[in-house]
Each structure stands twice: as structure tokens, then as C-alpha cells.
Amino acid sequence: MCSDNVIAINPAYRKLWEIIMEQILINLVAGALGGVGAGKSSPTFDLGTVGNIVSGLIGGGVLGQIVTLLLPSVVAAAQSGNLSVGGIVSQAIAGGAGGAILTALIGAIKNRAAA
């Protein structure tokens, strides 16, 4: 039995799946933007456009999921099917911060190793 059949049978699972995917997408987009912003803000952190985007995606995805676990209100809103504006904003901030932090960290390590 395919997992698509389970989602099609129970609408509650489908709604929860959609909300989780929205949260991950918000984290990834915000992370990519945060990574590009951190990379372009200082030549010390710059990994090139593609490097900034990739490290931002990874950092945003990881930190965004950690924040989701640490904020029970976001998880409760997702489970009830009501993702609020506050939940979306917190996901965007966490994703952007995660992307910026990881890009800055990798850029600093890369430039220190090159020196």
C-alpha cells in the first residue's frame, strides 16, 4: 500500500502533511535568502551565489525544524490545522537566521583555512 493511499483515505493526515510541507518550504526559502544576505554582507562570509544559497537552504531547514520542535505552539497549530501568521513569521525568522548562521560559519572557516 502506497503512502498516497493513506493520505487520500484520511483527510486529517492530508491537512497535517500540507501544513508540514508549508513549514519546510518557508524554512528553506527563508534560509536561502538568509544565506545570500549573510554571504553578500561581508566578503569574509561569501561562498559565491550558489554556495550561499546551498548553505542557506541547509541551515534554514535544520534550524527551522529545531525551532518547530522547541515551540510547542507551532506544533499545536499545525496539528489543529490552523497555522497562524505568528507561526509563519517564526518559521521565516528561524529559517532566515539558520541560513545566515550556517553561511557565516562555513564562510569564516573557508576563509580562515585559505589564509
Side-chain angles (χ1 to χ4, degrees), residues 19-63:
I19 291 174
I20 290 170
M21 288 293 108
E22 288 173 5
Q23 289 176 345
I24 292 172
L25 184 62
I26 291 168
N27 290 335
L28 293 176
V29 170
L33 293 173
V36 169
K40 298 302 177 188
S41 68
S42 172
T44 305
F45 303 143
D46 194 19
L47 300 170
T49 303
V50 174
N52 292 338
I53 291 172
V54 170
S55 65
L57 284 170
I58 294 168
V62 170
L63 187 62

Side-chain angles (χ1 to χ4, degrees), residues 43-45 47 104-115:
T44 305
F45 303 143
L47 300 170
L105 186 65
I106 292 173
I109 290 171
K110 177 190 152 220
N111 287 331
R112 183 165 178 109

Side-chain angles (χ1 to χ4, degrees), residues 62-80:
V62 170
L63 187 62
Q65 293 307 304
I66 291 172
V67 167
T68 301
L69 294 174
L70 295 177
L71 293 176
S73 62
V74 174
V75 175
Q79 289 175 346
S80 69

